[in-house]
Amino acid sequence: YFSWEVLRFLLSNLRMWIEEYRFDGFRFDGVTSMLYHHHGIGTGFSGDYNEYFGLHVDEDALCYLTLANHMIHFLHPECITIAEDVSGMPALCRPVAEGGGGFDYRLAMAIPDKWIQIIKELKDEDWNMGNIVHTLTNRRYEEKYIAYAESHDQALVGDKTLAFRLMDAEMYTNMSVLSPLTPVIDRGIQLHKMIRLITHALGGESYLNFMGNEFGHPEWLDFPREGNNESYHYARRQFNLTEDDLLRYRFLNTFDKDMNKLEERFGWLASPPGYVSEKHESNKVIAFERAGLIFIFNFHPYQSYVDYRYKIILDSDAAEYGGHQRLNHSTEYFSSEYPHNYRPNSLMV
């Protein structure tokens, strides 16, 4: 139960961080545990509205979150608030004036969990395209989500970064361009680019990058604490890795830069959600449209498809990203008037 004194303290605390310390917004941690008396423990959320409305909702906590968002946006419209909510509470990320909770964004927490799950548990030929698409698109309509491919739980001590889980020990021996491109490093680099791009383009209305994910940070980050004898050994970002032309990290970094520049040019994050026209399980191909662009991903471990036709503007297989240059960018690409998957035209295979 929140007394009015406690509410005044919490709200003034938020205002202090903005006005005294110049914070430009807040990520509210563990919002699911605040919204419900059961704190989300042992509870699955299927999307049924009975799960979100009833006596199990903590009305005092919901009132505080709504007041906090209203105050922040009323006094400082430039500030952004983000909810770490796994339950999918309806209207949590709609304005208070509409009867919503007032958050600007919700973290798409299922996405990084999905990538780790399939990398850990499945062989490449067993990846399920429909399941990947479902995870990337399963969000409340007109509530904005922040998509991310890797979470802080992976980048901090105790787990492995996405790159390290893909390439592991070979990152210490085979990331030099002077060493042979091994199957492990090749697979890791190509999947790292594809995972980031499809997450960026299909997974939300904003994109978040955790520590070193943009260039494949090989190790976790850790900060001085009693558990590591106050060591600074892992308390650093290894930016030097991207600046060495003899290391393959620069390919990942260059791809990340061009991926973000492309989004800046076409604005897919501010566009309506992507329209997925193909989830081909045997070909391992996902194709979708967003912001006037067509995205085609081939997750097949060994099969290439050379006859997709269109204009290529970002190709993860290009040489500057450590790819194999299997697509000819000077080729003219065409769609044809052949209806497929409820769309009037097709790219022919």
Side-chain angles (χ1 to χ4, degrees), residues 100-120:
F103 283 99
D104 294 299
Y105 294 93
R106 174 190 274 118
L107 287 172
M109 300 170 69
I111 296 175
D113 290 344
K114 175 56 62 178
W115 289 125
I116 285 299
Q117 181 223 327
I118 61 178
I119 288 170
K120 284 174 64 174

Side-chain angles (χ1 to χ4, degrees), residues 146-167:
I146 295 178
Y148 52 113
E150 177 173 48
S151 79
H152 60 289
D153 294 326
Q154 295 154 232
L156 294 175
V157 67
D159 205 343
K160 293 181 177 181
T161 63
L162 193 59
F164 203 60
R165 195 169 287 284
L166 285 166
M167 295 177 275

Side-chain angles (χ1 to χ4, degrees), residues 28 54 146 211 276 292 324:
F28 284 69
I146 295 178
M211 308 163 184
V276 181
H324 297 278

Side-chain angles (χ1 to χ4, degrees), residues 4 11 27 38 43 61 98 151 153 162 168 198 202 211 246 293 295 307 330:
W4 183 243
L11 293 172
R27 166 189 174 267
H38 54 60
T43 305
E98 295 182 4
S151 79
D153 294 326
L162 193 59
D168 211 60
I198 197 170
L202 192 59
M211 308 163 184
L246 294 179
L293 300 175
F295 296 85
D307 292 327
S330 64

Side-chain angles (χ1 to χ4, degrees), residues 31 39 42 48 52 64 75 99 112-113 123 133 154 164 174 231 242 247 305 314 321 324:
V31 167
H39 307 301
D48 188 286
Y52 307 105
Y64 159 67
L75 295 173
D113 290 344
K123 296 184 293 185
V133 167
Q154 295 154 232
F164 203 60
N174 290 89
S231 171
T242 66
L247 295 178
Y305 309 102
L314 184 67
Y321 311 135
H324 297 278

